[in-house]
Amino acid sequence: MAEAHQAVGFQFTVRPDGVDFKLSQEVIKNIYLSGVTAWKKKAIQFKNGVLAGVSPASPSSWLIVVIAMMSSLYIHIDLSMGMMDTIKENLPYRDCMSVQTRAVLSAILFATGLWLFLIYLLRYTLKALLSYHGWIFESHGKMSTSTKVWLCLVKMFSGRRPLLYSFQASLPRLPVPSVDDTIHRYLESVRPLLDNEQYNKMELLASDFKENKAAQLQRCLILKSWWATNYVSDWWEEYIYLRGRSPIMVNSNFYIMDLLYVTPTHRQAARAGNVVHAMLQYRRKLERGELAPLRALGTVPMCSTQMERMFNTTRIPGIETDFVQHLTDRKHLVVFHKGRFFQVWLYTGGRHLLPSELETQFQRILNDTSEPQPGELKLAALTAGYRVPWAQARIKYFSQGINKVSLDAIESAAFFLTLDDEPQGYDPAKTNSLDSYAKSLLHGKCYDRWFDKSFTLISYPNGKMGVNVEHSWADAPIVGHMWEYILSTDCFHLGYTEEGHCKGDVNKNLPHPTRIQWQIPNECQNVIETSYLSAKQIADDVDFHGYLFAEFGKGLIKKCRTSPDAFIQLALQLAQFRDQRVFCLTYESSMTRMFRDGRTETVRSCTSEAVAFVRAMEDAGATNAQRLALFRKAAEKHQNMYRLAMTGSGIDRHLFCLYIVSKYLGVDSPFLTKVLSEPWKLSTSQTPQQQLNLVDINKFPKYVCGGGGFGPVADDGYGVSYIIVGENLITFHISSKFSSPDTDSYRFGQHIQKAMLDIQALFKPENDKTAQNAKYVHLENGKKHI
C-alpha cells in the first residue's frame, strides 16, 4: 500500500559486515525542521517567561539602572550611599581584579539588586492598588474622582503591552471574611425561605457555632490564606469536583454551542479542519503567554491561572478521588467516529498541519469503513458512568500492554474530537432543534465523547460544531474565551473556498490517521455495558428546553436604568414562584478572578427584597408604581450581593472552607452540616459573551454564539443558563429531570418569558400592556416560541 510506504521513515538491510541504514532525505528534513521549531518555541517561551517574570518592569529597564549606576562612577556622585563601596570591598577574588573592574562589577551588582527591589516595589504597589474595590460599588455610569485617579495609577503601574501572565504576581489574595459578617449575610439570605420557627432554630445553631467553634476554624483558615495563593480554590477543585463519585456526564460537565445563524461550510471535514487549526493557533499563543490578559474596565486584570490546563489535560479516575493530569507539548489528537478511535498527528516538518491537511485527514477517517473492535464501540461510556467502576477497570484492564498504550494516546492527546454522524444545530423551522442540539452536546449517545478530557470538540455532518467541557479544571468563561477566538478565526481569517473546502493546497502525502488498537476482554465489556446503561439512564432523564428571547435585550434593559443580570434574576424568581408556588434557595455563579487563583462565588438571588417584589407582582391589588419601586429595591440588593461576591465577601465559599477545616480537625458543627446540606433547587449562571470583541456583532449580527448550558443540580429543580447576546437577544438553556413530577423545562421557559415581559411592562405606560398579554396568549395556546 502506498500510504504504508510513505509512513516508513527509514530502511535497513542486514549484511554479514553489519547493518546498512538508508535514511530518506524527507525524514532528515522533517527531523531538522522539528528540532528548529522546538528550540524556537523554547526560546520564545523563555523570552516571554522573562518578560512576565519582571513585569511590570521590562528587561531594558535593567540596562537603564545599570547605566545610571555606571555613570555615577565618572561624575563622582555616589547614588548608592556607600553600598557600592561595601560590595567592592567584599567581592570574592577581588585581589585578582583591577580597581576599575571591581568598581564596574560592584555597580552592576548594586544596579541589579536595586532593579529587583524596584520590581517588587512596583508589584506590591500594584497589588495594593488592585486590592481597592470601591469602583465596583459605584453607580453605573458615575465614576468618582478618586476612582479616576485610581484607574490612572493602575494603568501607570501595569506596564506596556502586558502578556497573559504578567499580572499574576501582582494580583491580591482572596481575603477571608469575618465570621460575624458571613453568618449575618447567611441568616439574611435564608430569612425569606424559612418560617419563624425554622429561622429561630437556625439562629440558635448559628449563634452556638459562632460562640464555641468558629474562632478555632477561622484561625486555621486565616493561616491557610497566608500560606496558599488562594484559600478556596484547591479545596473547591478537590472536594466539589474530584472527590465526587457520581457520573460527571450531565452532573458536572457543561457544553458550549456553535454560531446560531451561520454555518460557514456544510462540509464536516472542512469545518473540523479550520476549527482544529484555529485551536492549535490559540494553544501556541497560550503556551507562549502571548494572549492579552482579560481586564475589567480595560484596566483591572483578571487571573489567568485556569487557562494553563486548557489543552493536554485529562481527569484521571481514582477509587477515592480523581486527579487532573496536565502534560506539555502534545503533538497528536484522538478522533472518534462510528465507534472507532483514530490518532492524528498535528505537526509535519516542524509546523502545524494546515487546515486543508487537517481536512484531508478527517475526510480519510469519515471514508474509513472498518468496523469497531470488540468492546471499542462503547468504550468511552466508562468516562460517562460512575467513577469507582471506571477507576477499577482502568487499573485491571488498562494498566499494561496494548490497552495501556492506547489509553495513554487518548489521555495525552491535545484534546478529543468526535466526528458525529447525526446533524444538529439551531433550525427555526424545527420545533425542538435547540433542545436536541443541547442534549447532543451535553451527553450525546453516552459513549461518543471522552468526558474526562479537558474538552471534547464535536463536529456534526452539517458543519455545525460544539464543545463538551470537563468542569474541574476551569469554569465556563475560560472556555468561552477560547471559543470566541476559534469562531472568529474560523469565519473571518481562515475562511473556505467556494466549494466549502479549507483554503490551501491538499497534501496527499501525509501518513494516514492510525487506528488505535484494543484488546478488551469480555469481563471489561460487561463493565463498559454497565457504565453505559447507568449513563443512558441519566441522559434519558434530562428534560431540556432552549429558546431565544428576542422581544428585547440588554439595550432596552439598560434604558430602564437597571442591571441586565438583576433584571433576569428577578424574572427567574418570578418564574420560579409561578411554576412552583414556593420560593427556593437560588444559586447564581459569580467570578472571583480579580484575586490570585480565583474561581467562583455564589450569589444567593432569592432575597427578602426579591420575595417582596414577586409577591407584589402576584398581588392584584398592587399598583405598577409600587411594583416598580420594589423591583428597583430588589435589583439594587441583587447588584450589591453580586459585588460583594466578586470582591471576596461572599457567603458560601467561606462556609464551605470552614466546613472542610472542621472535618480535618474532627470538630462537629450542626450549623455547618445544615448549611452544606441545603439543596439548590434553582441553579443559574450567566455565560459571558464578547470577552475578546473580535467580531463587531452590530456589523455582523448573524455571527453570534448560542451560548451554553449544564444539567440540573437538584432532582426536583431547574438549571438555567442565560446568555446576553448583543443588545437585542437573550438565550436561555433550561434543564430539569423527567423523573420529577414537579418540574417541566418547557413550562418553566414559558414562565420566564412571561416574567420578562411583565417586568418590562412596569417601565411602560399602562395602555401598552395589551401587546404583552397578547404574546402570552400565543404561548398558552401551545405554540413554542423560538
Side-chain angles (χ1 to χ4, degrees):
M1 295 173 61
E3 59 268 19
H5 285 291
Q6 290 165 6
V8 173
F10 62 89
Q11 299 175 354
F12 66 92
T13 304
V14 179
R15 295 180 177 177
D17 56 344
V19 180
D20 180 26
F21 284 92
K22 294 183 179 179
L23 203 61
S24 74
Q25 184 177 356
E26 185 66 23
V27 169
I28 294 174
K29 178 182 177 182
N30 281 335
I31 292 174
Y32 169 75
L33 292 175
S34 295
V36 170
T37 302
W39 282 105
K40 186 184 295 185
K41 178 180 177 181
K42 289 179 181 178
I44 293 172
Q45 287 177 333
F46 176 78
K47 181 198 76 172
N48 291 338
V50 170
L51 291 175
V54 302
S55 179
S58 63
S60 59
S61 62
W62 173 81
L63 189 59
I64 294 173
V65 178
V66 169
I67 292 174
M69 293 300 108
M70 294 286 289
S71 301
S72 68
L73 297 176
Y74 297 97
I75 60 177
H76 303 294
I77 298 176
D78 188 2
L79 299 177
S80 70
M81 294 182 290
M83 293 183 68
M84 284 194 294
D85 289 335
T86 303
I87 294 173
K88 184 166 56 176
E89 294 302 321
N90 290 279
L91 283 173
Y93 308 108
R94 60 182 181 276
D95 296 334
C96 302
M97 293 182 280
S98 65
V99 174
Q100 188 174 8
T101 302
R102 279 186 288 163
V104 170
L105 188 56
S106 63
I108 292 175
L109 290 173
F110 174 78
T112 302
L114 177 62
W115 179 67
L116 291 174
F117 169 77
L118 291 174
I119 288 175
Y120 279 97
L121 180 63
L122 288 172
R123 281 183 182 174
Y124 280 98
T125 303
L126 182 57
K127 182 179 288 190
L129 288 169
L130 294 176
S131 298
Y132 166 76
H133 299 121
W135 61 275
I136 294 180
F137 295 90
E138 293 182 349
S139 300
H140 182 72
K142 297 179 181 179
M143 187 178 293
S144 64
T145 303
S146 60
T147 296
K148 291 178 181 177
V149 173
W150 171 80
L151 276 175
C152 291
L153 289 172
V154 171
K155 289 179 181 179
M156 185 172 66
F157 283 98
S158 294
R160 298 181 303 160
R161 297 189 298 275
L163 298 173
L164 181 62
Y165 302 115
S166 294
F167 292 110
Q168 291 302 104
S170 300
L171 292 174
R173 299 189 182 197
L174 184 69
V176 181
S178 72
V179 172
D180 288 346
D181 288 346
T182 297
I183 290 179
H184 172 74
R185 292 185 186 117
Y186 170 77
L187 291 174
E188 185 182 35
S189 74
V190 297
R191 186 66 189 92
L193 306 175
L194 305 176
D195 59 33
N196 290 335
E197 183 180 353
Q198 292 171 327
Y199 182 74
N200 289 336
K201 288 182 179 179
M202 185 57 75
E203 270 193 322
L204 289 175
L205 288 175
S207 178
D208 176 70
F209 170 73
K210 185 165 59 173
E211 291 175 4
N212 298 315
K213 299 168 184 175
Q216 179 188 9
L217 305 181
Q218 180 78 345
R219 282 195 297 269
C220 294
L221 209 53
I222 291 173
L223 182 62
K224 186 193 176 187
S225 73
W226 291 345
W227 179 256
T229 54
N230 190 294
Y231 79 92
V232 176
S233 294
D234 57 338
W235 283 349
W236 186 254
E237 179 177 309
E238 179 179 358
Y239 291 102
I240 297 300
Y241 295 113
L242 298 180
R243 282 186 179 264
R245 302 295 82 197
S246 299
I248 61 175
M249 183 200 76
V250 175
N251 296 323
S252 178
N253 286 28
F254 59 92
Y255 66 85
I256 300 180
M257 289 182 169
D258 197 0
L259 298 171
L260 275 174
Y261 308 112
V262 175
T263 306
T265 178
H266 292 283
R267 295 184 183 274
Q268 184 176 15
R271 185 77 197 285
N274 258 13
V275 168
V276 170
H277 183 78
M279 283 184 166
L280 295 178
Q281 289 183 332
Y282 184 89
R283 185 179 73 161
R284 180 170 58 194
K285 288 178 176 289
L286 183 63
E287 289 176 342
R288 294 177 177 180
E290 293 175 343
L291 294 168
L294 281 180
R295 292 195 271 185
L297 301 180
T299 304
V300 185
M302 303 286 113
C303 180
S304 302
T305 298
Q306 294 180 59
M307 303 178 80
E308 294 174 356
R309 298 186 292 180
M310 187 174 296
F311 296 93
N312 326 318
T313 300
T314 307
R315 176 172 174 161
I316 306 298
I319 303 299
E320 294 184 356
T321 182
D322 298 350
F323 68 92
V324 177
Q325 172 185 275
H326 175 65
L327 306 171
T328 57
D329 203 24
R330 301 296 98 182
K331 291 183 169 61
H332 72 278
L333 173 71
V334 171
V335 182
F336 180 90
H337 177 60
K338 291 187 175 180
R340 294 90 41 84
F341 293 84
F342 297 83
Q343 183 171 345
V344 178
W345 290 100
L346 299 172
Y347 289 79
T348 182
R351 62 166 176 81
H352 292 149
L353 290 185
L354 301 175
S356 57
E357 294 170 331
L358 288 165
E359 178 186 359
T360 300
Q361 297 293 66
F362 298 147
Q363 192 60 53
R364 286 170 173 173
I365 293 174
L366 292 171
N367 295 339
D368 191 301
T369 58
S370 60
E371 293 295 322
Q373 301 161 73
E376 184 181 19
L377 175 64
K378 298 179 180 178
L379 175 62
L382 288 171
T383 68
Y386 286 89
R387 304 305 291 174
V388 173
W390 170 209
Q392 293 170 337
R394 190 175 186 276
I395 295 170
K396 187 173 182 179
Y397 304 111
F398 298 92
S399 60
Q400 59 185 354
I402 188 68
N403 287 349
K404 183 181 188 304
V405 173
S406 298
L407 183 61
D408 285 346
I410 294 175
E411 293 179 342
S412 65
F415 54 92
F416 193 86
L417 168 65
T418 292
L419 296 175
D420 219 318
D421 52 2
E422 296 179 3
Q424 296 289 348
Y426 170 62
D427 185 351
K430 295 181 180 179
T431 304
N432 298 316
S433 63
L434 211 56
D435 304 4
S436 174
Y437 185 21
K439 283 177 67 68
S440 174
L441 291 173
L442 185 62
H443 55 67
K445 297 175 183 176
C446 303
Y447 59 78
D448 51 355
R449 288 92 174 91
W450 198 270
F451 293 100
D452 284 351
K453 287 301 288 184
S454 55
F455 66 89
T456 296
L457 179 65
I458 303 158
S459 171
Y460 295 103
N462 58 349
K464 282 296 183 183
M465 304 289 292
V467 186
N468 179 284
V469 186
E470 199 280 310
H471 205 336
S472 67
W473 64 274
D475 303 306
I478 302 300
V479 186
H481 183 278
M482 179 266 290
W483 196 235
E484 284 185 33
Y485 177 92
I486 301 309
L487 294 181
S488 64
T489 302
D490 171 32
C491 297
F492 294 96
H493 297 282
L494 299 177
Y496 300 87
T497 65
E498 293 182 359
E499 295 79 19
H501 292 286
C502 295
K503 294 180 179 178
D505 297 330
V506 178
N507 183 1
K508 295 183 178 180
N509 295 324
L510 290 172
H512 279 227
T514 307
R515 274 293 298 273
I516 293 179
Q517 301 300 313
W518 306 96
Q519 293 178 357
I520 302 176
N522 292 332
E523 296 85 355
C524 184
Q525 293 182 39
N526 293 334
V527 176
I528 293 171
E529 185 65 20
T530 301
S531 291
Y532 166 70
L533 292 176
S534 63
K536 188 175 186 301
Q537 185 178 9
I538 294 171
D540 290 344
D541 197 26
V542 176
D543 175 16
F544 188 88
H545 173 56
Y547 75 94
L548 312 182
F549 183 86
E551 277 75 3
F552 59 86
K554 179 176 66 176
L556 184 60
I557 295 174
K558 283 188 172 181
K559 289 180 181 178
C560 299
R561 300 192 306 279
T562 190
S563 158
D565 183 72
F567 187 103
I568 296 171
Q569 283 292 327
L570 289 171
L572 290 174
Q573 290 301 316
L574 181 56
Q576 163 71 21
F577 185 78
R578 287 172 173 173
D579 188 79
Q580 301 290 316
R581 305 314 302 174
V582 293
F583 296 100
C584 70
L585 196 61
T586 304
Y587 182 109
E588 182 189 5
S589 179
S590 163
M591 69 90 182
T592 56
R593 288 174 58 209
M594 289 190 296
F595 301 98
R596 182 78 179 267
D597 295 343
R599 290 196 63 163
T600 60
E601 176 58 275
T602 304
V603 180
R604 293 175 168 239
S605 302
C606 187
T607 61
S608 297
E609 291 80 0
V611 168
F613 163 70
V614 170
R615 293 197 184 281
M617 290 295 290
E618 296 299 279
D619 181 3
T623 65
N624 274 1
Q626 293 172 327
R627 292 166 177 164
L628 184 57
L630 289 170
F631 170 84
R632 292 201 181 280
K633 187 176 180 181
E636 181 60 35
K637 176 66 174 181
H638 178 82
Q639 283 182 272
N640 188 60
M641 295 282 288
Y642 201 98
R643 291 161 177 162
L644 288 170
M646 285 181 63
T647 54
S649 298
I651 300 168
D652 290 273
R653 298 302 179 269
H654 186 203
L655 293 176
F656 162 76
C657 289
L658 289 172
Y659 177 78
I660 297 299
V661 173
S662 74
K663 291 301 178 183
Y664 277 126
L665 298 179
V667 175
D668 181 48
S669 171
F671 170 71
L672 292 176
T673 301
K674 176 70 174 174
V675 170
L676 270 294
S677 63
E678 292 171 337
W680 301 96
K681 289 194 175 183
L682 179 58
S683 181
T684 70
S685 178
Q686 179 188 168
T687 304
Q689 290 273 312
Q690 296 298 103
Q691 296 185 71
L692 296 172
N693 292 315
L694 295 176
V695 179
D696 184 353
I697 57 177
N698 293 319
K699 186 176 180 181
F700 302 99
K702 296 295 183 182
Y703 286 84
V704 293
C705 175
F710 51 90
V713 174
D715 291 338
D716 56 349
Y718 293 105
V720 181
S721 174
Y722 54 94
I723 299 87
I724 301 172
V725 185
E727 298 293 310
N728 303 301
L729 178 66
I730 303 171
T731 66
F732 287 92
H733 303 247
I734 306 164
S735 63
S736 61
K737 293 188 177 183
F738 285 116
S739 58
S740 172
D742 300 325
T743 58
D744 183 304
S745 295
Y746 173 61
R747 183 185 72 208
F748 193 61
Q750 286 185 306
H751 285 308
I752 292 175
Q753 185 173 20
K754 177 63 165 66
M756 294 281 288
L757 295 171
D758 285 349
I759 294 175
Q760 191 263 337
L762 298 177
F763 296 90
K764 302 173 68 176
E766 287 288 332
N767 57 7
D768 282 351
K769 293 180 66 177
T770 306
Q772 309 298 339
N773 294 330
K775 290 179 181 178
Y776 188 54
V777 170
H778 179 70
L779 284 172
E780 290 191 325
N781 287 336
K783 302 292 185 180
K784 184 175 179 182
H785 179 75
I786 297 292

